Amino acid sequence: MRSKLFLAVLAVFLFVPLMVAAEGKAAKEEAKVTFFWALYDGLTEEFRAEIEDDFNATYDDMKVEIVPIAWNLMYDKITTAVAGGAPPELCVIGTRWILDFMESDAIEAVTKYVSEKTINNIAPGAMEAKIGGELMGLPVAAGARILAYNADISDKAPKTMEELRQLAIKVTNPPDTYGLIMPGKKFTELTDFAYYLYAAGGDFFEMEPDGSYGKSAFNGPEGVKALEFMVQLATKDKVVQEGYLSLDRMNSHPVFYTGKVAYCFIGAWVESAYNQAGATFDLKYGQIPPFRGDDGKTLIITDSIALFKDAKNKEAAGKFLDFFYQDKYKAKFDELIGFPPVTISAGKLPQFQTPLYKTLIDAALRAKGWPLMAGFDEITAIIWDANVEAFLGKKTPKKALDDAAAKIDAMRGM
Amino acid sequence: MANMRVLQPRRKGHFWTTESKLAFLFLLPATIYLLAFMIYPILNVIIMSTYQTSKMAKMLKFTGFTNYWNLFQRKDFWQVMLRSIYWTGLAVAVKTVFGMVIALLLNVKYTGRKVARTLIIIPWASSIPISSLLWTWVYHPEFGLLNYTLKVTGIWKNPPVWLGAPASAFFSVIWVDIWIGIPFMTLVFLAGMQSISQDLYEAAEVDGANALKRFIYVTLPGLRDVLLIATLLSTLWTFNDFNTIYIITEGGPANSTHILITYIYENTFHFLKWNYGAVMAVITFIILSIIAWIYSRVYFRRET
């Protein structure tokens, strides 16, 4: 009896690895592409499933698994996967993360695997991920930030930040109406400070003659002006939505869609998110205004699809990208997320000739991106904390930014 | 038990007998699992804490205790450490008191007691991330149930933005941890109370002891071991409560709700400072090992 039991246990130990190996062999027959898919506002599960099903039906020897991941969690998810030695084939990333991945030799140029036809169909201006002549990420979304406003509350697009403030003060009547949306809780991106900093003509870092980034510049007069203005709006004029310090981008924008707020600095997804929220107010678009007398700019953000060096099925990943970048899918993707198309062919489609896209194209003409530097995520967190300290009145805007700049410069060895 | 041991002749043990062979075989999967998924990662983290690391967690250069030294120089680390102790102490104390009071109420016979016992489990039975997300919306200044109720009932016309200021955010988050943890304490205390003999209560009553005295002199001594074990377990879980804080505040505003476990995550996975993450993980491991050691001492003393 005992020996039978012993044999039975032994058999289980032998069979389990054999079954696992057999499963692995079966899996090897079709090259599996794992794609970490960022959940942009506006994207639907039906669309994700449609691409997955269509690709899997088209190719017998390849299979794609599109894994939806919230934007706020994407950085953690991909760095953990790469550090754990199990990266996906493809991942949507903020283009600003590319240098971190390059520094770690984790990604490859997409041009090695994606067809020339697909690459040639990408608008040259969207290729922010071209580093040292190599395209290290295929542009997936590129959009300048704009001003969206509720014309039922205020039917005027301000020309300057000062005018925006006056208009916001005029319409604010809490708890029924507020002048402006301002997320005050730390988010994966530092967009709101960037809007005001760029509007004041400022920048995050000094530029060295060789094109590299020097010491912090966000604590200069433009940065201080930007943060003082934000603090003024939030704590003195009180024109921003209630509880701004506890709301990040994801849970403050819904307040705009309720129709209670006049102005919101936002991205191209505004229209689809507005529709999905079932909002009915008169939504109009304008440019994020500069400060009076300043050469203000707006922020443009590009995201890319990176291809990971240690992934198993890179050839199949290239094939999937060719498949996804057909107008049938990519144009629909752009339409859902509301970003202007990055492909030349989709840019000519009638659905992209609307007032929103016109505003976005105009905004792109005076836009600039994030500093493209390694470790920007930590820098973002430090500046966010400085913003919050100023909002809380723990420090003056100047002191908060000076302290943050000193910390960042020390961290960067400057 | 002890007498039985004396009566049985002592068997000469052999490491590799037919019987032990089977036992070792049965233990093999668990041993492999432990080695692969617990011992190896722990050792790896300890080793990593003594290395300079790349952004993708590669160990580049042995630096001895430099990472430890550098971390101990950081003011923010000590603030987080102090907050972790405060967080754990306060949460466990409140959970214990609330748990005890509710257990006492549930131990009294009345109509609907079974329903009350079922309802009390709900926060504990729910998934922690879902409970945390739920509370994030409860605290929402615009759409939140809490502020809405306070305003509508006239209790507080201008309620605070609960997650918007450091102090209120800290207490709001700790309340969620307490809310989730109370049912466990209640159930453990209730089970302990039901194992106390009714004769003791009756004898105390005959001696003229009132309810408070019965609680102090009968219930509490009867619950001593249970109380110790429950609070130790709760300490382990509370010190490690990542979900509640990370989902509700992500450590903000201005890092005012970070505890060690969330700080490890931020340093490791956001800032890619794997070495500092590893150092803090080792420190956490030591702290929790001490608590676990005390727990096992108490538990096994109770068993014997």
Side-chain angles (χ1 to χ4, degrees):
Chain A
M1 180 63 197
R2 196 169 283 162
S3 60
K4 277 181 185 169
L5 189 62
F6 182 79
L7 284 172
V9 174
L10 202 63
V12 169
F13 281 127
L14 286 172
F15 275 112
V16 169
L18 283 174
M19 282 161 69
V20 171
E23 178 77 13
K25 199 182 170 192
K28 269 180 196 166
E29 284 169 7
E30 53 182 24
K32 188 181 164 193
V33 176
T34 304
F35 180 21
F36 285 0
W37 168 266
L39 282 174
Y40 289 91
D41 289 352
L43 275 185
T44 61
E45 168 56 22
E46 290 76 18
F47 179 62
R48 184 203 67 79
E50 183 192 332
I51 304 175
E52 195 176 83
D53 293 346
D54 287 1
F55 181 80
N56 293 342
T58 308
Y59 292 94
D60 291 336
D61 55 342
M62 292 178 231
K63 187 183 174 189
V64 68
E65 188 189 5
I66 302 176
V67 184
I69 295 166
W71 241 132
N72 214 19
L73 304 174
M74 185 60 98
Y75 188 74
D76 302 2
K77 177 80 180 167
I78 187 62
T79 49
T80 314
V82 173
E89 273 70 20
L90 302 167
C91 177
V92 175
I93 61 167
T95 306
R96 63 198 176 278
W97 305 344
I98 277 184
L99 289 184
D100 279 332
F101 289 123
M102 284 178 73
E103 203 176 280
S104 310
D105 199 23
I107 56 174
E108 271 191 77
V110 287
T111 38
K112 286 184 192 170
Y113 302 97
V114 176
S115 74
E116 211 168 297
K117 187 184 161 199
T118 302
I119 300 289
N120 290 340
N121 192 29
I122 303 283
M127 294 201 189
E128 194 190 354
K130 202 169 205 174
I131 296 161
E134 295 271 27
L135 189 63
M136 300 308 292
L138 198 63
V140 68
R145 294 297 161 91
I146 56 169
L147 173 80
Y149 61 100
N150 180 341
D152 291 344
I153 299 176
S154 178
D155 193 14
K156 194 173 181 194
K159 294 277 182 283
T160 63
M161 280 288 179
E162 290 80 3
E163 189 187 355
L164 171 72
R165 182 179 162 228
Q166 291 311 320
L167 290 169
I169 292 171
K170 199 172 142 189
V171 300
T172 297
N173 181 27
D176 299 325
T177 48
Y178 297 91
L180 181 69
I181 289 286
M182 187 189 286
K185 183 181 169 188
K186 194 192 284 185
F187 190 61
T188 186
E189 291 167 341
L190 184 65
T191 41
D192 285 77
F193 178 66
Y195 297 148
Y196 294 94
L197 175 69
Y198 285 2
D203 215 334
F204 282 95
F205 296 98
E206 292 170 357
M207 288 301 287
E208 298 294 343
D210 64 355
S212 63
Y213 292 105
K215 282 189 163 190
S216 295
F218 62 83
N219 58 328
E222 299 87 1
V224 174
K225 182 179 181 176
L227 189 54
E228 277 174 350
F229 188 75
M230 292 168 79
V231 171
Q232 171 84 31
L233 292 173
T235 66
K236 293 174 186 142
D237 300 334
K238 296 186 192 299
V239 294
V240 306
Q241 84 284 0
E242 205 170 335
Y244 68 102
L245 272 176
S246 68
L247 302 177
D248 63 20
R249 190 179 91 189
M250 303 308 280
N251 43 31
S252 61
H253 285 179
V255 184
F256 179 65
Y257 305 128
T258 62
K260 292 174 77 170
V261 185
Y263 297 99
C264 182
F265 298 158
I266 200 165
W269 65 87
V270 59
E271 202 161 275
S272 54
Y274 164 91
N275 289 329
Q276 282 181 9
T280 52
F281 60 84
D282 185 11
L283 177 65
K284 286 189 175 169
Y285 311 109
Q287 300 300 325
I288 294 178
F291 282 90
R292 193 179 296 137
D294 284 320
D295 176 27
K297 301 218 179 308
T298 189
L299 175 71
I300 188 164
I301 293 181
T302 70
D303 300 327
S304 304
I305 298 178
L307 202 149
F308 288 84
K309 208 169 193 171
D310 291 341
K312 288 176 194 153
N313 299 309
K314 289 181 279 192
E315 298 286 346
K319 287 271 182 276
F320 172 74
L321 288 177
D322 288 335
F323 182 84
F324 176 44
Y325 273 67
Q326 298 172 82
D327 282 350
K328 182 183 173 190
Y329 302 106
K330 189 64 181 70
K332 190 171 174 188
F333 174 89
D334 295 329
E335 210 180 339
L336 284 172
I337 65 170
F339 278 80
V342 292
T343 55
I344 296 163
S345 57
K348 293 172 186 162
L349 296 172
Q351 62 264 44
F352 297 111
Q353 321 302 322
T354 65
L356 171 63
Y357 289 104
K358 190 184 172 310
T359 312
L360 287 164
I361 291 161
D362 289 347
L365 298 175
R366 50 178 281 272
K368 64 178 174 181
W370 296 112
L372 205 55
M373 65 196 313
F376 194 63
D377 204 55
E378 188 172 4
I379 290 167
T380 293
I382 294 169
I383 303 175
W384 250 122
D385 289 340
N387 280 206
V388 176
E389 283 171 336
F391 285 130
L392 289 170
K394 284 182 163 184
K395 291 177 183 172
T396 63
K398 179 157 174 47
K399 169 84 174 136
L401 291 177
D402 281 346
D403 289 353
K407 197 171 174 183
I408 290 166
D409 289 344
M411 193 179 85
R412 294 178 61 225
M414 298 201 140
Chain B
M1 251 336 249
N3 290 339
M4 279 176 73
R5 269 193 212 125
V6 174
L7 291 172
Q8 280 177 350
R10 193 178 169 85
R11 287 169 65 187
K12 198 174 177 186
H14 289 284
F15 177 74
W16 196 250
T17 61
T18 312
E19 197 177 342
S20 66
K21 233 190 295 184
L22 193 64
F24 287 128
L25 200 62
F26 278 129
L27 282 172
L28 197 63
T31 311
I32 293 170
Y33 177 85
L34 273 173
L35 285 170
F37 296 107
M38 294 192 76
I39 308 296
Y40 168 72
I42 290 169
L43 290 176
N44 198 47
V45 166
I46 293 170
I47 295 166
M48 188 182 271
S49 72
T50 59
Y51 272 78
Q52 185 189 331
T53 51
S54 78
K55 287 196 169 161
M56 291 301 140
K58 285 190 181 125
M59 289 184 246
L60 302 173
K61 191 179 153 195
F62 179 72
T63 55
F65 288 99
T66 312
N67 292 329
Y68 287 83
W69 177 249
N70 290 343
L71 188 74
F72 293 153
Q73 304 299 311
R74 280 168 52 178
K75 196 179 152 195
D76 53 345
F77 167 72
W78 290 110
Q79 283 171 342
V80 168
M81 180 61 112
L82 199 66
R83 193 177 302 118
S84 305
I85 295 166
Y86 182 51
W87 159 275
T88 310
L90 185 64
V92 172
V94 177
K95 277 185 254 189
T96 307
V97 172
F98 272 69
M100 183 69 79
V101 171
I102 297 169
L104 284 168
L105 291 173
L106 292 178
N107 203 30
V108 180
K109 283 180 185 162
Y110 55 89
T111 314
R113 187 170 68 157
K114 280 185 183 170
V115 177
R117 282 182 180 178
T118 311
L119 289 177
I120 198 74
I121 300 173
I122 290 173
W124 197 54
S126 310
S127 135
I128 296 176
I130 290 173
S131 297
S132 304
L133 281 171
L134 182 91
W135 275 95
T136 307
W137 284 101
V138 168
Y139 288 135
H140 195 289
E142 186 68 29
F143 311 122
L145 185 69
L146 180 60
N147 278 8
Y148 179 77
T149 310
L150 290 172
K151 281 181 200 170
V152 165
T153 55
I155 295 172
W156 204 336
K157 283 191 178 165
N158 290 307
V161 178
W162 299 101
L163 303 176
S168 61
F170 181 80
F171 287 108
S172 301
V173 181
I174 207 169
W175 166 248
V176 179
D177 175 82
I178 291 166
W179 181 81
I180 293 168
I182 285 173
F184 169 75
M185 300 298 247
T186 305
L187 290 179
V188 172
F189 294 153
L190 188 60
M193 282 173 194
Q194 285 174 347
S195 69
I196 300 171
S197 168
Q198 280 301 314
D199 296 346
L200 293 173
Y201 287 105
E202 283 163 15
E205 215 168 335
V206 169
D207 289 343
N210 60 20
L212 182 66
K213 283 189 175 166
R214 286 202 298 276
F215 174 72
I216 294 170
Y217 295 110
V218 180
T219 310
L220 271 185
L223 285 179
R224 198 189 62 175
D225 284 348
V226 171
L227 190 70
L228 203 56
I229 287 171
T231 47
L232 281 170
L233 276 177
S234 182
T235 304
L236 282 172
W237 296 334
T238 309
F239 195 87
N240 256 336
D241 186 7
F242 173 83
N243 289 313
T244 313
I245 294 178
Y246 210 75
I247 290 170
I248 298 178
T249 62
E250 286 182 57
N255 294 328
S256 59
T257 54
H258 266 306
I259 61 169
L260 207 48
I261 203 79
T262 55
Y263 210 53
I264 291 172
Y265 184 83
E266 184 164 271
N267 272 272
T268 311
F269 299 111
H270 276 182
F271 304 157
L272 309 179
K273 292 181 170 172
W274 301 83
N275 48 351
Y276 290 115
V279 171
M280 286 189 267
V282 170
I283 293 166
T284 308
F285 177 68
I286 293 168
I287 294 169
L288 295 182
S289 297
I290 293 168
I291 299 169
W293 177 75
I294 299 170
Y295 167 77
S296 63
R297 295 264 301 177
V298 173
Y299 186 80
F300 290 118
R301 187 187 69 194
R302 188 166 163 259
E303 286 283 289
T304 53

